Amino acid sequence: MNLSIIDLRYPPSAFLYSALSPKIFVDGVEQPGTGWGKRPVGMAPGPHRVEVYVPYFLPPRAGRATLDLTVPEVGVALEYMAPTVTFAKGQLGAPGQQKSSGFRGVMALNVIAIAVVGIALIAALLS
């Protein structure tokens, strides 16, 4: 059994994830461990299916991400990035390349909300 590492991350803007602990499954078997950061996962060389999600209220499997891969003799390093919005998919793959899903949408909604408030304030001041 080779030691592989999965770095579990979430975007700083989604700080509520810090109160939760992601779950890792390899070939349908839950892996031990809790918390965010680098977690060791034992995987024998060969093909595997890795699934990661964050238990949540709605949806119950927030940020679900699945990856089919072939683990080499030396093990593998992976990175999971939770989404900004719990209904979006998480990202699972090569370290340093995973981006948070839903970030642009949340930022766009924030800009729209600020613009609406700004227009309402200007309208109130001019009337």
Side-chain angles (χ1 to χ4, degrees):
M1 183 82 52
N2 290 342
L3 186 62
S4 295
I5 301 291
I6 300 180
D7 190 5
L8 303 161
R9 301 177 52 223
Y10 60 89
S13 60
F15 59 88
L16 290 177
Y17 282 122
S18 66
L20 307 169
S21 185
K23 296 201 177 276
I24 302 172
F25 292 83
V26 176
D27 301 326
V29 177
E30 185 173 354
Q31 301 300 298
T34 58
W36 295 90
K38 293 184 179 180
R39 292 217 336 232
V41 178
M43 290 190 275
H48 295 282
R49 172 168 281 196
V50 178
E51 178 182 1
V52 181
Y53 67 83
V54 181
Y56 198 69
F57 177 66
L58 279 176
R61 294 182 177 183
R64 186 173 175 209
T66 304
L67 178 67
D68 292 316
L69 73 154
T70 300
V71 176
E73 291 287 332
V74 295
V76 68
L78 297 172
E79 178 182 66
Y80 168 78
M81 177 61 82
T84 302
V85 180
T86 59
F87 289 99
K89 289 184 178 184
Q91 302 293 315
L92 180 62
Q97 298 179 10
Q98 307 313 309
K99 306 287 184 216
S100 179
S101 303
F103 181 77
R104 288 186 182 139
V106 169
M107 289 301 111
L109 288 174
N110 288 341
V111 167
I112 291 169
I114 290 169
V116 167
V117 169
I119 291 170
L121 288 173
I122 292 171
L125 290 174
L126 295 177
S127 57

